Amino acid sequence: MQEARNILEFDPTRRSVGGHQRLLDDCGELAANRLAEDYAQALNVLRQELHRRAANTHVHDTSLLYLQGMELLRDHADAIGIAFRQGLFAAYKQACRKALMQSQASVQAPAALSLVEADELEQTLAVSNLAHALHNACGEELFGLNQRLGLLLMCAN
């Protein structure tokens, strides 16, 4: 996987149809990388704690158990970190796909049908067309703005 870029730097090629997915993938990869680094640090702290406990215990069997745990972490830390990162990124992508499918299903689900006046229909279509045109022209900027406002308002969406 390519190294994730700073989210504030938008590539003009991201305005394509699949641009949002690539941006989400980059964000997920960046988060997975940072969490994997923190996870590796936590494993290192755990290894040090196991060593400390092995040195301070007076029961031989308990000391051996701590040392075996420390050796396991030492020998397999890289594999554990890679598996953690891959699992985290896979779960992120699955959650993104699930959210996308749910949003598409809610958009495609027919609402209660009723008759509307022609003027109201024209006005609704004009507003909808304007919203779509703005979204197509400024989708990435609107996404970033939406995320920043959501953060300020402590709102998930």
Side-chain angles (χ1 to χ4, degrees), residues 1-5 24-40 43 76-94:
M1 289 183 207
Q2 66 181 13
E3 185 175 327
R5 289 181 237 158
L24 283 174
D25 286 348
D26 284 353
C27 291
E29 190 171 347
L30 179 64
N33 286 338
R34 289 187 179 170
L35 286 171
E37 289 171 5
D38 291 342
Y39 187 72
L43 287 178
H76 301 288
D78 290 337
I80 292 170
I82 289 169
F84 172 78
R85 187 196 167 291
Q86 288 174 342
L88 185 67
F89 189 62
Y92 171 81
K93 288 187 75 151
Q94 182 180 10

Side-chain angles (χ1 to χ4, degrees), residues 108-124:
Q108 293 174 355
L113 299 177
S114 63
L115 295 175
V116 295
E117 295 293 325
D119 292 339
E120 185 179 342
L121 177 62
E122 288 178 16
Q123 183 180 14
T124 302

Side-chain angles (χ1 to χ4, degrees), residues 96-109:
C96 286
R97 282 193 302 270
K98 183 178 177 182
L100 179 63
M101 290 174 61
Q102 287 176 346
S103 68
Q104 288 175 348
S106 66
V107 168
Q108 293 174 355

Side-chain angles (χ1 to χ4, degrees), residues 2 9 13 17 25-27 29 43 47 62 71 73-74 77 83 102-103 107 116 118 141 146 152:
Q2 66 181 13
E9 298 173 5
T13 61
V17 176
D25 286 348
D26 284 353
C27 291
E29 190 171 347
L43 287 178
R47 187 179 53 77
T62 305
E71 288 175 10
L73 280 176
R74 183 191 66 220
Q102 287 176 346
S103 68
V107 168
V116 295
E141 292 84 358
N146 186 30
L152 290 174

Side-chain angles (χ1 to χ4, degrees), residues 7-8 10 14-15 19-28 92 96 99-100 134-151 155-157:
I7 194 168
L8 297 175
F10 289 109
R14 294 191 184 277
R15 292 185 189 267
H20 297 318
Q21 187 60 44
R22 285 192 306 267
L23 181 60
L24 283 174
D25 286 348
D26 284 353
C27 291
Y92 171 81
C96 286
L100 179 63
L134 281 172
H135 183 60
N136 289 339
C138 307
E140 292 179 16
E141 292 84 358
L142 291 172
F143 175 78
L145 183 61
N146 186 30
Q147 294 301 311
R148 288 177 182 89
L149 287 175
L151 181 65
C155 179
N157 294 328

Side-chain angles (χ1 to χ4, degrees), residues 42-53:
L43 287 178
N44 191 37
V45 169
L46 178 61
R47 187 179 53 77
Q48 292 171 356
E49 179 63 19
L50 286 171
H51 183 267
R52 186 189 67 76
R53 288 184 182 226

Side-chain angles (χ1 to χ4, degrees), residues 126-137:
V127 169
S128 178
N129 288 340
L130 180 62
H132 286 298
L134 281 172
H135 183 60
N136 289 339

